[in-house]
Amino acid sequence: EDRSLQISWDEISQQESNGDITGYEVWCLNCPGKTNFSSNVNSIIIRELSEMIAYTVLVRATNSVGSGMWSEAMTFETCPSNTYSKDSTGSECNQVEVGYFLTGDVTSGAVDCTNFPAQINQVHCRETSKLRVQDLTLNPGWWRPDVNKMNEDDTKPCFNPGFCRPIEYGDKHPSSLISKSDIHCSENHTGVYCYGCVAGLNFSFSDGCVQ
């Protein structure tokens, strides 16, 4: 589960900056992999954070002369798994209610499944608690290339609905999936819009994947 932090700050005026701002430096205590980040605009998203960890962030501007003073430190704590925070401090961690799913987008939080009545299997959504975007079951005839995203632009009707008939949501997905998006495909189908076949089978426009 990808936990992310979106940080934004006020731009510094030219008078305050003693010249044109060329960028910003962000220092983060406990952030994964590194502590220093850079941005050309007055915001940044830091990804792949762990749950229930305290992070401290400072920001400073840079120009042709050098770097300015660090900002005051801001500390926040990420929420536990399958919850989300409505603010940057993590002071209020919200459970994902039945009928909603948790996204990996820090600006979205939990999304109502009824926002996608044609695409999402509403029964699955209403009967599943703490549902994550990657675990969504689509209705037959729909496909999406990235199981970590759910939006109108990427979730499309299949050219042949018969190729996009996923297994029932209570069943276990086969371990032989070639890509994660294959969970939306009919048995033995794979690829974009499920128009490919697993090894050993041939593709037919009328019959799908056959011996």
Side-chain angles (χ1 to χ4, degrees):
E1 185 174 334
D2 181 14
R3 298 201 166 273
S4 305
L5 168 68
Q6 183 173 18
I7 309 166
S8 60
W9 52 89
D10 294 332
E11 293 186 7
I12 300 175
S13 67
Q14 191 170 17
Q15 292 179 337
E16 295 175 307
S17 64
N18 192 29
D20 293 331
I21 297 295
T22 57
Y24 296 90
E25 296 177 1
V26 178
W27 182 85
C28 179
L29 177 64
N30 290 332
C31 280
K34 60 180 181 179
T35 57
N36 293 90
F37 301 84
S38 61
S39 176
N40 293 325
V41 295
N42 61 321
S43 65
I44 191 173
I45 296 178
I46 303 175
R47 304 186 183 277
E48 298 181 359
L49 305 181
S50 301
E51 61 179 281
M52 301 181 69
I53 296 292
Y55 297 91
T56 299
V57 175
L58 298 89
V59 180
R60 66 180 178 182
T62 60
N63 59 21
S64 57
V65 178
S67 300
M69 298 286 291
W70 285 108
S71 68
E72 292 185 7
M74 183 179 72
T75 299
F76 66 96
E77 183 174 340
T78 49
C79 290
S81 179
N82 293 323
T83 65
Y84 67 99
S85 175
K86 292 182 179 178
D87 59 36
S88 61
T89 65
S91 58
E92 180 182 355
C93 296
N94 301 270
Q95 292 286 341
V96 182
E97 300 177 5
V98 173
Y100 290 75
F101 64 91
L102 183 65
T103 74
D105 184 348
V106 296
T107 63
S108 298
V111 178
D112 190 340
C113 289
T114 59
N115 290 348
F116 304 92
Q119 298 94 329
I120 293 177
N121 185 314
Q122 299 296 317
V123 174
H124 176 216
C125 195
R126 289 194 302 269
E127 294 182 355
T128 308
S129 61
K130 299 180 180 179
L131 185 63
R132 303 177 302 169
V133 64
Q134 59 264 44
D135 299 323
L136 285 172
T137 297
L138 299 186
N139 287 320
W142 291 88
W143 181 84
R144 56 179 176 155
D146 187 347
V147 298
N148 295 307
K149 295 181 180 180
M150 183 67 213
N151 54 58
E152 296 280 357
D153 293 334
D154 292 334
T155 307
K156 301 291 187 180
C158 292
F159 298 121
N160 187 327
F163 298 167
C164 304
R165 301 189 66 83
I167 61 175
E168 293 297 324
Y169 67 83
D171 295 338
K172 184 179 180 181
H173 292 305
S175 58
S176 59
L177 296 178
I178 297 175
S179 68
K180 292 181 179 180
S181 61
D182 289 350
I183 63 173
H184 309 308
C185 296
S186 301
E187 186 177 5
N188 296 326
H189 282 256
T190 184
V192 178
Y193 293 106
C194 306
Y195 255 66
C197 298
V198 298
L201 298 180
N202 299 312
F203 178 77
S204 165
F205 284 100
S206 58
D207 300 323
C209 296
V210 295
Q211 292 283 353

